[in-house]
């Protein structure tokens, strides 16, 4: 399962990208709204793409099909490798159908059930983003949507890549990987959490100290 960073923050993107284990970035209007308002959205998105050099999902803000297609055209004029993120609404599916005819990659977002994922796949989505944490937030088990989607995909050999989104903690990543999601898009804080373990830190401290002791003994 690939890991993407779910962020529009250049500092986070540069740090995580330097570690070499992520394959893409997903952004959304709420993440962009957290950044410095003096930055141009276009410049920020282009910087993100130049830094990561891989998948970058950029979301449209219109809710009508023509508006979404116009925004997609503008985003693609910034960098032609963009994946256009489209909300899971009927007008969005119509936009996905149109973009898929032109071989433009799409990521259908705000998916909360396997049936929504199925409809997005059938419209021609390249990626379906199934939200986990927001379902947990309302007292349901968000993993069920990911597990159901993966089961249906396995059974029918469907083509869209399954992105597990709205990830809140490391166990979500573990469960999504076990369920068979293709990708998990994860906030910076949670990616940082999965890299660290207290036994790694204490083990490394022992190795460093033993290495120093050995060198000191050799010098005597
Ligand atoms: O990018 C979409 C998704 O990952 C949002 O996450 O934490 O706002 O539910 P969250």
């Amino acid at each position: 399962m690939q890991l993407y960073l779910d962020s529009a923050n250049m500092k986070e993107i540069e740090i995580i990208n330097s570690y070499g284990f992520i394959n893409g970035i997903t952004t959304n209007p709420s993440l962009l709204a957290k950044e410095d308002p003096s930055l141009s959205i276009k410049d920020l998105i282009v910087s993100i793409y130049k830094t990561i050099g891989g998948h970058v999902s950029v979301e449209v803000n219109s809710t009508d099909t023509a508006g979404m297609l116009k925004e997609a055209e503008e985003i693609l004029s910034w960098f032609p490798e963009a994946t256009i993120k489209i909300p899971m609404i009927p007008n969005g599916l119509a936009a996905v159908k149109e973009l898929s005819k032109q071989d433009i990659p799409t990521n259908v977002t705000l998916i909360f059930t396997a049936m929504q994922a199925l409809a997005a796949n059938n419209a021609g989505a390249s990626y379906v983003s199934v939200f986990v944490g927001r379902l947990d937030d309302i007292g349901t088990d968000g993993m069920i949507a990911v597990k159901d989607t993966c089961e249906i995909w396995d059974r029918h050999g469907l083509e869209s890549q399954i992105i597990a989104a709205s990830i809140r903690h490391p166990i979500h990543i573990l469960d999504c990987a076990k369920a068979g999601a293709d990708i998990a898009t994860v906030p910076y804080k949670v990616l940082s959490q999965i890299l660290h373990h207290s036994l790694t830190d204490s083990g490394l401290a022992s190795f460093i100290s033993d290495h120093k002791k050995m060198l000191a003994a050799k010098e005597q």
Side-chain angles (χ1 to χ4, degrees):
M1 182 179 75
Q2 290 192 343
L3 294 168
Y4 289 179
L5 173 64
D6 196 26
S7 175
N9 182 276
M10 277 312 297
K11 207 170 152 196
E12 292 181 352
I13 291 167
E14 277 165 7
I15 294 170
I16 290 289
N17 185 53
S18 72
Y19 300 154
F21 72 99
I22 58 154
N23 297 89
I25 302 283
T26 51
T27 63
N28 66 38
S30 303
L31 292 170
L32 288 165
K34 285 187 197 164
E35 300 308 311
D36 180 352
S38 69
L39 293 173
S40 106
I41 299 290
K42 174 187 166 183
D43 291 350
L44 178 55
I45 295 288
V46 170
S47 302
I48 292 173
Y49 177 65
K50 281 188 178 154
T51 303
I52 193 78
H55 175 109
V56 179
S57 279
V58 187
E59 191 157 343
V60 297
N61 294 286
S62 305
T63 52
D64 64 296
T65 306
M68 290 183 203
L69 293 174
K70 195 159 172 265
E71 281 188 71
E73 201 180 323
E74 192 189 351
I75 294 164
L76 291 162
S77 75
W78 302 343
F79 68 106
E81 298 81 3
T83 294
I84 309 298
K85 211 170 172 190
I86 307 264
M88 175 58 222
I89 55 176
N91 284 343
L93 294 186
V96 167
K97 184 81 197 168
E98 191 50 43
L99 292 168
S100 79
K101 281 188 211 156
Q102 301 170 43
D103 285 327
I104 294 167
T106 52
N107 173 359
V108 176
T109 188
L110 291 167
I111 288 179
F112 292 93
T113 68
M115 290 80 76
Q116 286 182 313
L118 179 64
N121 172 81
N122 292 0
S126 322
Y127 301 88
V128 291
S129 284
V130 183
F131 280 40
V132 182
R134 290 190 193 191
L135 284 166
D136 290 353
D137 292 346
I138 59 161
T140 58
D141 181 356
M143 274 309 302
I144 290 173
V146 173
K147 285 180 187 159
D148 283 349
T149 305
C150 291
E151 189 181 332
I152 292 167
W153 259 235
D154 281 351
R155 198 168 169 102
H156 296 279
L158 302 185
E159 284 186 6
S160 310
Q161 299 262 298
I162 301 168
I163 302 184
S166 189
I167 298 293
R168 298 275 195 270
H169 50 70
I171 301 300
H172 275 159
I173 304 176
L174 178 67
D175 287 344
C176 290
K178 280 160 55 176
D182 298 290
I183 298 151
T185 188
V186 182
Y188 179 83
K189 189 182 137 214
V190 182
L191 280 181
S192 305
Q193 283 176 306
I194 66 166
L195 298 182
H196 295 106
H197 195 287
S198 58
L199 289 176
T200 306
D201 296 341
S202 58
L204 180 60
S206 299
F207 287 156
I208 289 170
S209 129
D210 290 343
H211 180 68
K212 279 184 187 156
K213 278 185 213 153
M214 180 192 73
L215 291 181
K218 283 185 190 298
E219 273 169 20
Q220 282 168 8

